[in-house]
Amino acid sequence: METFSHPGDLRRHLDGLRRQGRSIGFVPTMGFLHAGHMALVARAAQEADRVVVSIFVNPTQFGDPHDLETYPRDTERDLAMLREAGVDAVFLPGVKDIYPEGSETIVETMRLANVLHGEVREGHFRGVATVVTKLFNIVQPDLACFGEKDYQQLQVIRTMVRDLHFPLRVIGCPTVREADGLAMSSRNVKLDPEDRVAALVLNRALDRAQEMASAGATVEEIQAEVTGMIQAEPRSHLRAVDVTEAVTLRPVSGKPSGPLALMLSADFGGVLLIDQREIFP
Ligand code: PAF
């Protein structure tokens, strides 16, 4: 496994692989890897001849400087996990490698970036779309894997790939959960033990929403039930419960006729967690 920090060096390495006719699967990450990331790596390895992983804590997608500073990092451990998984190359750029002095170009999916979680986390999806565009241009992969836990992010990236004619396939991969149902996230280590238990309410709420949708509940009923469940957990500070049409994330009401997206976010002891998934009537 080789590591690169300069875009040009990684490009030269990948050009060599492409000349040998190898396809390239890409997994962008912000590091502090867990089983969820490794499932993306495994999927990329199933679909492509070589896997490239990037580790870059992207400053432009963080609203709060404290959140950026305290984002967990452990590059040595990450590299050992990626080596073990048979990854071909790891891209570990510095901020200046991605945002050269005087950078002024941004990428934004105008509607999708500014609704729902985008409304509460102003600028977040602009930061994601901008960095992922840069990474796609550097790596030029045949396919890229993203987790469905960040459902709105996945739709932002799919839309951007379609709109900007990126010649690559975006693969959405199911959320990997701890045995007790907590969605794997690099932020989970920041939870104290009581908050970690409290955070299980998110997965319970998603399960309950699916149960209700299967039993014919309306969008309003699902939204009210899920909101009540999270608010009833004393250690949670609810940020958002959004029920929308799946994929487009457009508003929906009454009895759903197709799949819905349910997107939850809440703070537990100051740690912002999200859990999102499609539910089916
Ligand atoms: O999902 C993430 O880890 C990040 O948002 C991503 C896609 C690597 C962009 O920084």
Side-chain angles (χ1 to χ4, degrees), residues 54-128:
S54 62
I55 299 177
F56 179 63
V57 182
N58 173 36
T60 65
Q61 69 188 78
F62 287 80
D64 172 6
H66 178 72
D67 196 23
L68 171 62
E69 250 164 59
T70 58
Y71 195 82
R73 294 163 167 89
D74 190 345
T75 307
E76 285 318 306
R77 187 173 137 271
D78 291 345
L79 291 176
M81 288 166 77
L82 295 173
R83 196 171 293 113
E84 172 77 25
V87 163
D88 177 79
V90 181
F91 183 41
L92 277 164
V95 174
K96 291 251 161 60
D97 296 307
I98 296 294
Y99 297 101
E101 208 62 53
S103 284
E104 52 175 292
T105 307
I106 56 167
V107 178
E108 186 162 21
T109 53
M110 298 305 289
R111 182 186 62 85
L112 266 180
N114 294 303
V115 292
L116 310 166
H117 284 197
E119 222 177 324
V120 236
R121 299 180 75 186
E122 211 261 307
H124 171 73
F125 290 114
R126 184 195 308 134
V128 170

Side-chain angles (χ1 to χ4, degrees), residues 256-270:
S257 54
L260 300 171
L262 174 55
M263 290 168 285
L264 311 179
S265 63
D267 273 5
F268 296 86

Side-chain angles (χ1 to χ4, degrees), residues 28-30 56 58 61 128 131-132 146 150 153 157:
T29 81
M30 298 207 297
F56 179 63
N58 173 36
Q61 69 188 78
V128 170
V131 78
V132 172
F146 294 87
D150 297 310
Q153 168 173 286
I157 289 164

Side-chain angles (χ1 to χ4, degrees), residues 8 13 28 48 78 90 96 100 152 155 178 208 214-215 227 252 268:
H13 172 75
D78 291 345
V90 181
K96 291 251 161 60
Q152 186 168 359
Q155 303 317 322
E178 307 274 5
R208 175 74 186 123
S214 305
T227 304
V252 66
F268 296 86

